[in-house]
Amino acid sequence: MRAWTLALLLATAACSKVPEKASAAKPAEITFDGAEVTNASALIAHGNRLTQVLGCKGCHTPALTGANLLDDMPQFGAVYASNLTQVVRHDTDAQLEQILRRGVHPDRKQLWVMPSEVFQNLSPTDMSSLLAYLRSLHPAGSPTPPPRFTKLGMKFISSGKLHPVAELVSQYRSKPSVDLGPKYAFGRYLTSVTCAECHGSDLTGVKDLEPGLNTPNLIVAGGYSRPDFERLMTTGVPVGGRKLKLMGDVARERFPHFTPHERDAVYAYLKARAELPAD
Ligand code: HEC
Ligand code: HEC
């Protein structure tokens, strides 16, 4: 039995003496499509899809055996997106969940670059299938080292341009994107675990995501027709066919792994958000 089912049963039991209408039904959990599977292989397949749409495979490599993200910039140091096939051999599920939701590592004082600030929003069911998929990996390659920063890298950090992940987790939590009610809740959920990583927790855009690269307020999506949005999300080509610096590659690699229904929901939420009266 899932922990949250148990919690719900206990809560219902505790409420059994209060009048009927006070025990309001728990709203259905919002998850990616296809999360409500029960057999182990379907759960693992769902977790595998999540590693694609959430970008784990972009940073940790398609085989999840890890890579140095600062390969091109050794003057700053070396930050490995870890070899996850090795990590899952010694971490418990609880430790993995602490890393993914809190940016808290069992041994290291700080965690860097790993986008736990958005993964904290993953539903319990999506998180379980992600962990089930990680558990299904066979160990490969060798363990990757913890981050190492050069003097220049440390200077970059102390200038406030790079924050420890745990700090970002609380920043993101305190500034969520606008809630447009149940009709748009699914789209809001999906953007909170994907787009928010680069467009900011409230989707209003980020200055200097990388030196010289800004992301726009996702109000821009309001100017897209649904077919143009589909083209951006599945092929990386924006309206007007311009060449994008980063978004094109990100979209092409990650967002074809959304279901069409999920892309509908992302679009509907962003469109409704863009049409809010300015205040
Ligand atoms: C933007 C790049 C990026 C993305 C996307 C990303 N990670 Fe990471 N991840 C990292 C980096 C870098 C580290 C090492 C951070 C450190 O040690 O300070 C890391 C560390 C981890 C760790 C801790 C490993 C250890 O060495 O103990 C786990 C577990 C993990 N990532 C899982 C995931 C999962 C699962 C996803 C997708 C849901 C994901 N990561 C997405 C960059 C990324
Ligand atoms: C890994 C970072 C990253 C993620 C994740 C990301 N974006 Fe972007 N996005 C960018 C950057 C950077 C730009 C600025 C354009 C460029 O790449 O040069 C951009 C631009 C855009 C644009 C404007 C395109 C135009 O017409 O100029 C739209 C629309 C957009 N993103 C939608 C999304 C949506 C929707 C999501 C989530 C489903 C998302 N992005 C997730 C980095 C990201």
Side-chain angles (χ1 to χ4, degrees):
M1 186 187 295
R2 288 183 196 292
W4 59 266
T5 320
L6 183 64
L8 180 64
L9 286 176
L10 291 173
T12 317
C15 289
S16 60
K17 288 202 188 82
V18 299
E20 192 82 347
K21 67 177 187 329
S23 56
K26 189 173 187 259
E29 189 192 9
I30 299 173
T31 63
F32 277 81
D33 286 338
E36 301 303 337
V37 284
T38 44
N39 78 72
S41 68
L43 198 74
I44 290 172
H46 182 65
N48 184 20
R49 179 168 81 91
L50 294 184
T51 61
Q52 291 163 323
V53 81
L54 299 174
C56 323
K57 291 193 171 174
C59 287
H60 290 269
T61 78
L64 296 176
T65 46
N68 177 8
L69 301 181
L70 293 183
D71 224 7
D72 300 344
M73 295 176 272
Q75 67 274 26
F76 290 103
V79 174
Y80 282 84
S82 322
N83 181 340
L84 297 183
T85 73
Q86 296 287 343
V87 167
V88 294
R89 296 170 70 186
H90 50 74
D91 282 9
T92 64
D93 280 6
Q95 286 172 327
L96 291 172
E97 196 161 344
Q98 279 288 307
I99 293 169
L100 282 155
R101 287 199 191 279
R102 301 280 162 257
V104 172
H105 193 270
D107 319 313
R108 295 173 210 158
K109 232 168 90 194
Q110 311 275 27
L111 209 62
W112 300 97
V113 185
M114 161 72 190
S116 308
E117 67 273 15
V118 295
F119 303 143
Q120 69 178 317
N121 295 324
L122 283 170
S123 71
T125 306
D126 283 331
M127 180 61 78
S128 309
S129 53
L130 197 53
L131 296 181
Y133 171 68
L134 294 179
R135 290 269 168 247
S136 77
L137 299 169
H138 297 291
S142 35
T144 41
R148 180 181 56 74
F149 294 103
T150 59
K151 263 200 181 135
L152 191 64
M154 304 286 264
K155 223 170 120 188
F156 189 74
I157 291 173
S158 57
S159 72
K161 293 199 179 99
L162 184 66
H163 297 272
V165 174
E167 218 174 283
L168 294 174
V169 166
S170 41
Q171 261 180 38
Y172 265 58
R173 192 166 41 226
S174 68
K175 212 177 158 201
S177 68
V178 60
D179 183 351
L180 299 175
K183 190 174 162 202
Y184 299 105
F186 185 40
R188 179 173 181 250
Y189 170 67
L190 297 171
T191 59
S192 78
V193 294
T194 55
C195 324
E197 179 189 341
C198 300
H199 291 273
S201 58
D202 59 358
L203 308 178
T204 54
V206 171
K207 206 173 160 296
D208 284 326
L209 179 75
E210 287 170 14
L213 181 63
N214 303 335
T215 61
N217 186 325
L218 282 186
I219 269 180
V220 292
Y224 272 70
S225 67
R226 180 65 185 87
D228 283 342
F229 187 73
E230 186 70 8
R231 186 163 73 134
L232 174 66
M233 290 287 108
T234 56
T235 69
V237 178
V239 278
R242 288 159 295 128
K243 172 100 183 78
L244 298 176
K245 281 194 193 137
L246 177 62
M247 181 64 198
D249 291 338
V250 172
R252 221 173 9 257
E253 271 175 30
R254 292 174 53 173
F255 303 140
H257 297 287
F258 275 133
T259 64
H261 171 244
E262 286 164 354
R263 286 191 294 271
D264 280 342
V266 168
Y267 180 72
Y269 172 67
L270 293 177
K271 187 90 182 157
R273 177 180 171 276
E275 283 162 7
L276 283 178
D279 52 16

